Amino acid sequence: MDESDACPRDYCPDSSLPSSTTSVHVTALDGLVNVNSLLTIAVFVGLSLAAPGQRSLDSRSSCDAGPDVAKKLLVFEVVSFSFFLFSSLVAQGLKLAINLLNSSDVNEAFRAHINSRVLRVGMLASAVGSVMGCLFLMLSMVNVIEIRLGLLSCGSKSATHAVSALVVLVTSAILVYISTVLYAFLH
C-alpha cells in the first residue's frame, strides 16, 4: 500500500497530524468535557447557595450583602456557564469530526486523518473557554463568600481568608493549565 492510499489528499499535507496521535486528542477532549461538566455543577451549586436577602454568618447586619452582590453573582454564574458550554461544545464537535472520519475504517477506531490546524485551533478555543469559565466561576464564588460570610469591605476575617485561598489556588491552577496548553500548542 503506497502513501497516497493511506491519507486522503485534503488531510495529509504537511499540516496533518499522524493518525497515531488522534487517540490522544480524543482522550484529551474527553477529559476537558468531563472537567467542564463538573465545573458546570459548581455553577448551579453556587446559585442554589445564595438567595437574595440572605443574612451572612457575620454578626453585624451592616456586613450583609445587598441585592447588587446577588445580581453580580447571577451574571458571573451565567457567563461562567456560557464559557463552559462553549468549551464543551467545541470539544464535542472536534470529537464528532474525528469519529465521523473514523467511520470509514472500523479497524482503526481511534485513528483519523484530520487537519491539524483545525484540531489545534479547536482545542485552543476549547481551552480558552475553560479558562474564562474558571475565572468567572472564581468571581462568582467571591460573591457567594460575601453573601454567606459577610462583605469583604467589612473586614470579615473568614471572608478574607476564604477569598484569599480561592484566588491563590485557582489562579495558580489556571497558570499551570495555561502553561501546559501553550507548551502543547507550541511543540
Side-chain angles (χ1 to χ4, degrees):
M1 179 164 119
D2 66 348
E3 227 176 278
S4 63
D5 293 337
C7 297
R9 196 179 83 225
D10 295 341
Y11 293 103
C12 283
D14 295 336
S15 66
S16 182
L17 292 172
S19 60
S20 62
T21 63
T22 308
S23 64
V24 173
H25 290 99
V26 170
T27 304
L29 292 168
D30 276 336
L32 188 63
V33 170
N34 291 338
V35 169
N36 284 347
S37 299
L38 291 174
L39 292 172
T40 300
I41 291 170
V43 168
F44 290 107
V45 168
L47 283 174
S48 68
L49 288 178
Q54 186 176 22
R55 287 202 33 100
S56 69
L57 297 175
D58 194 291
S59 58
R60 299 170 287 180
S61 62
S62 61
C63 290
D64 291 343
D68 58 322
V69 176
K71 285 179 186 176
K72 285 194 301 186
L73 168 66
L74 184 61
V75 169
F76 290 149
E77 294 282 341
V78 169
V79 173
S80 176
F81 174 74
S82 300
F83 275 115
F84 288 135
L85 187 60
F86 167 81
S87 176
S88 293
L89 289 174
V90 169
Q92 286 294 91
L94 290 172
K95 283 178 50 183
L96 180 63
I98 291 169
N99 289 331
L100 287 175
L101 289 171
N102 282 339
S103 66
S104 63
D105 190 358
V106 179
N107 295 328
E108 293 186 8
F110 292 106
R111 294 182 182 182
H113 303 290
I114 187 168
N115 188 318
S116 66
R117 287 188 184 123
V118 171
L119 183 63
R120 288 166 56 103
V121 167
M123 291 185 81
L124 184 62
S126 189
V128 167
S130 291
V131 167
M132 294 302 295
C134 286
L135 289 173
F136 280 100
L137 182 60
M138 181 177 64
L139 290 173
S140 70
M141 290 308 296
V142 169
N143 292 130
V144 169
I145 291 168
E146 285 189 314
I147 290 170
R148 301 292 288 184
L149 297 177
L151 294 173
L152 290 171
S153 59
C154 282
S156 169
K157 285 186 180 183
S158 299
T160 304
H161 290 148
V163 169
S164 298
L166 176 74
V167 170
V168 167
L169 293 173
V170 171
T171 303
S172 300
I174 287 174
L175 289 175
V176 169
Y177 182 74
I178 290 171
S179 301
T180 305
V181 168
L182 287 177
Y183 178 79
F185 190 73
L186 296 174
H187 291 90

